[in-house]
Amino acid sequence: MLDYQLPTGTKVNVEYTYYDTPSTQHLISTLPTGELHFDTDEHQRINRWKFHLGQEHSLAGGWGLNYGVRYSLTNDHSWQTFLPTGSNTAASPTNSYSRQNEDIVNIFAGTNGKIGEKLDFEVSLAAEYYHSPAWHQWNVYPTLSLTYMPNSGHMLLLNVSSERSGGQSEPQAFKQLSDTVGLCAAQQIPVRGMVQLHR
């Protein structure tokens, strides 16, 4: 991972992940149609690059502004082969190969500050393009965080956010769907909200 800050204050981040899981097995199977004796060779290889450019500014009145862009590229190369090792009287499994690419571009901007003496806020908006062999989609993700302190002994927190429910290469599952709390029908995006009261 590389982190660097330009003289202008722009933060640059580059991250690379390599994931490799070779696996071999010797299997003997007895089926209604016969017997199978074979070795299996399973392999999953993932290469993932992530790039991030971000800028932050401090504004008058204690407000802040941030914006930037993120890009990630993931290549998932998987295969499974079968090698007979004995006398097989049933049909052998078929070898399988898979190579998939995933691209994600995320452009974001946000601001934070205080309204009066009792209310702090953070708000941001991100536009993201997700591309894979099975999915091409633009999504918009708003987030909002409010902290209200009516007095020194009480605090009310409100957090509302959204997230993409698929994608991201994982071992043995190139695309997984997560449980959703709510769903934004226009964008098909889960929306999560939380309110906390502290005394």
Side-chain angles (χ1 to χ4, degrees):
M1 184 171 63
L2 172 66
D3 284 298
Y4 183 72
Q5 183 167 326
L6 301 176
T8 58
T10 302
K11 296 180 180 180
V12 182
N13 174 268
V14 180
E15 180 180 340
Y16 174 72
T17 302
Y18 176 76
Y19 178 87
D20 192 11
T21 56
S23 174
T24 58
Q25 299 182 71
H26 177 69
L27 301 175
I28 299 175
S29 299
T30 301
L31 307 173
T33 56
E35 290 189 354
L36 286 174
H37 302 259
F38 55 86
D39 288 337
T40 66
D41 178 20
E42 300 179 7
H43 218 106
Q44 183 175 41
R45 183 177 297 156
I46 293 177
N47 292 275
R48 176 182 292 162
W49 285 94
K50 292 184 177 181
F51 304 91
H52 172 82
L53 291 174
Q55 181 77 46
E56 297 181 359
H57 300 280
S58 295
L59 307 177
W63 286 43
L65 175 68
N66 66 86
Y67 51 87
V69 60
R70 301 185 184 96
Y71 172 71
S72 68
L73 169 64
T74 303
N75 174 264
D76 184 340
H77 184 200
S78 306
W79 66 90
Q80 185 177 45
T81 58
F82 301 89
L83 178 64
T85 58
S87 177
N88 293 325
T89 57
S92 298
T94 303
N95 296 338
S96 61
Y97 301 89
S98 174
R99 183 186 291 272
Q100 302 187 70
N101 289 326
E102 174 188 270
D103 299 276
I104 301 175
V105 179
N106 184 291
I107 303 170
F108 64 91
T111 185
N112 64 278
K114 290 181 68 72
I115 300 177
E117 297 295 326
K118 299 180 179 181
L119 181 63
D120 293 342
F121 75 93
E122 292 184 14
V123 60
S124 66
L125 183 67
E128 182 179 272
Y129 174 67
Y130 176 84
H131 170 263
S132 74
W135 196 8
H136 308 263
Q137 186 171 348
W138 276 99
N139 286 319
V140 177
Y141 306 116
T143 62
L144 172 66
S145 177
L146 298 175
T147 302
Y148 179 68
M149 298 186 64
N151 54 57
S152 59
H154 297 81
M155 180 171 62
L156 179 65
L157 302 178
L158 171 65
N159 291 285
V160 179
S161 63
S162 60
E163 63 184 25
R164 177 165 47 85
S165 61
Q168 299 295 334
S169 295
E170 299 292 344
Q172 306 304 326
F174 187 76
K175 184 166 67 175
Q176 296 181 338
L177 299 179
S178 63
D179 293 333
T180 62
V181 174
L183 195 64
C184 176
Q187 297 292 337
Q188 294 296 295
I189 306 168
V191 178
R192 303 181 185 276
M194 177 179 64
V195 177
Q196 296 179 331
L197 179 62
H198 296 267
R199 292 186 176 181

